[in-house]
Amino acid sequence: MSDREEPGVSSSRSPRSAVASVFERLPAAAVAYLLDPTPRVLRAAIAVCNRLSTPPEMRLLVAPEPLARLRERFLPASATANLTERGVVQLGRYDGPERLPAVAADEPTTTVRFVDDGADVETLSGGVDLSRCRSLWADAPRVGLQTPARRRLTAGLADRFPPGVVATFGAVAAAAAGRGDLRRGTVAGGDEHDPGPRGLAATPEGFDPVGAVLVAAASEGCRNDRVTDWVTDARLAAESTVSERKQRLAAHGVIESLPVGGERTHRLRLTPAYADCGPRALLGVLDRL
């Protein structure tokens, strides 16, 4: 496209539908570049790739701030980790001075820029040089997510706990994903010298995976030490985070501890008031705490 040509503009109801309109046309062997996405466009691209049975290879060139915001949201971050472990997604750091949210791909050649406008997103066809994306990618430092993949977490739960724990955790997470709860949480655990495992603080606007594991384990009467060991081994959160969550749930009458004879540990159990709660009700409890 020449400098004199005006790119075509189309309105889209959401970033997800805009990204899907591009990705769904690409063959499985295609390579797509997502350049400097906003947090909304980044989450949308991850959601689309997770839905496609044969997604293209996606190379993300992401600036530090949207990448940090992705890491702080367990649901989309763990979904991204699923894709990185499958080799579908790779991450590189974008340090360019311009803000150019765009997706570019060939086979067929596609270039689309995103312009946020309130609740909607406008897509501008053209204006992104695919060769520039390739050059930026070749020079970009590769980065990691520091968030465990949800599939791997689920498999790890199944290795150590009864099936009911896996089912409850999965149902609570699915309830959060179903309501579109991909908003910001607060990172907890670790410090600037030793980042350590990373967890998410419980907030009304975020999904708390540590709290979800605790209520799932309590629903099956699991031992506290085994829950703590699993959370830290999975690098989901630090031991102090698990303890803080457990104390908060106990203080609000959601879970209780039962002694295990002759051992320096205890079992977790949902209190009678919450023993029959479904996943949406348990998610509501975690939101309030």
Side-chain angles (χ1 to χ4, degrees), residues 118-151:
D120 297 324
V121 169
E122 290 182 329
T123 60
L124 300 166
S125 299
V128 178
D129 188 345
L130 180 59
S131 64
R132 182 185 177 209
C133 290
R134 290 175 176 145
S135 176
L136 287 168
W137 178 257
D139 296 335
R142 301 298 181 258
V143 294
L145 270 174
Q146 302 173 343
T147 303
R150 187 165 147 193
R151 289 188 182 92

Side-chain angles (χ1 to χ4, degrees), residues 14 26-27 38 55 125 165 171 200 203 211 266 274:
S14 70
L26 298 175
T38 63
S125 299
V165 174
L200 301 193
T203 73
H266 51 271
Y274 294 94

Side-chain angles (χ1 to χ4, degrees), residues 16 19-20 23 32 34 42-60 79-80 83 86 88-89 151:
R16 185 177 300 193
V19 173
F23 283 12
L34 189 61
L42 178 56
R43 294 195 302 271
I46 295 305
V48 169
C49 276
N50 262 304
R51 180 173 57 83
L52 295 175
S53 57
T54 54
E57 178 185 334
M58 186 163 63
R59 297 175 179 177
L60 303 182
T80 307
L83 293 169
R86 288 169 52 195
V88 173
V89 165
R151 289 188 182 92

